[in-house]
Amino acid sequence: MMEIRVATKNDIDFLMSVRLEMLKVVNNLPEDYEFSDKVIKESRDYFCNGDHINVIAVDDDMVIGCASMCFFRIMPTFSHPTGKRAHLMNVYTRSEYRRQGIARKMVEMLIEKTWEKGATEISLDATAMGRPLYESMGFTDSTECMVLTNL
């Protein structure tokens, strides 16, 4: 029986396995690709200590999907009076479970929890495959900001 629920710290192994699987699929990496110790360590640390909510979809004892909402705060502005914002990440459903509304249900759960926490904006980086889902849920393109990275 399939269940979609908010993950707890007891789900760390589920969260780690599905995140690494998702990263391989999204980045077209081979199944036997080995992630660096740093990526694994930092991902595990974020799941245990970061400001986020994770939702997982489980079929029997197998994780089949995940979605994460990461929270951050900026100085309050007129358009964001709480300063609380969120970023949707890691929305993933195993290929054999796609087109069944699982991703939509996971994202809807996260959106509801995010508004309850007082956030005034949710951002995301969409893949071409995910874009229609997000557009159907009301997400729009934004030209609000520029980005500088230090990689």
Side-chain angles (χ1 to χ4, degrees), residues 23-83:
L23 287 172
K24 287 178 184 178
V25 170
V26 169
N27 292 291
N28 296 315
L29 299 172
E31 278 189 42
D32 62 348
Y33 180 85
E34 294 198 24
F35 290 94
S36 71
D37 290 341
K38 184 167 184 81
V39 167
I40 292 171
K41 177 184 174 286
E42 293 297 330
S43 294
R44 183 174 289 277
D45 179 66
Y46 190 81
F47 281 132
C48 291
N49 302 307
D51 190 4
H52 59 89
I53 298 172
N54 299 290
V55 172
I56 55 174
V58 179
D59 190 9
D60 290 323
D61 286 331
M62 179 178 65
V63 64
I64 59 160
C66 66
S68 301
M69 191 72 76
C70 303
F71 298 96
F72 60 100
R73 190 169 178 206
I74 63 165
M75 190 176 298
T77 65
F78 290 113
S79 56
H80 302 287
T82 65

Side-chain angles (χ1 to χ4, degrees), residues 104 111 132-141:
R104 177 177 293 278
I111 290 171
L133 169 66
Y134 304 125
E135 288 173 345
S136 76
M137 297 180 81
F139 285 88
T140 59
D141 286 322

Side-chain angles (χ1 to χ4, degrees), residues 95-109:
S95 60
E96 62 270 28
Y97 289 89
R98 291 183 187 148
R99 315 281 318 150
Q100 297 177 34
I102 296 168
R104 177 177 293 278
K105 287 177 188 167
M106 291 189 297
V107 172
E108 287 172 346
M109 285 179 76

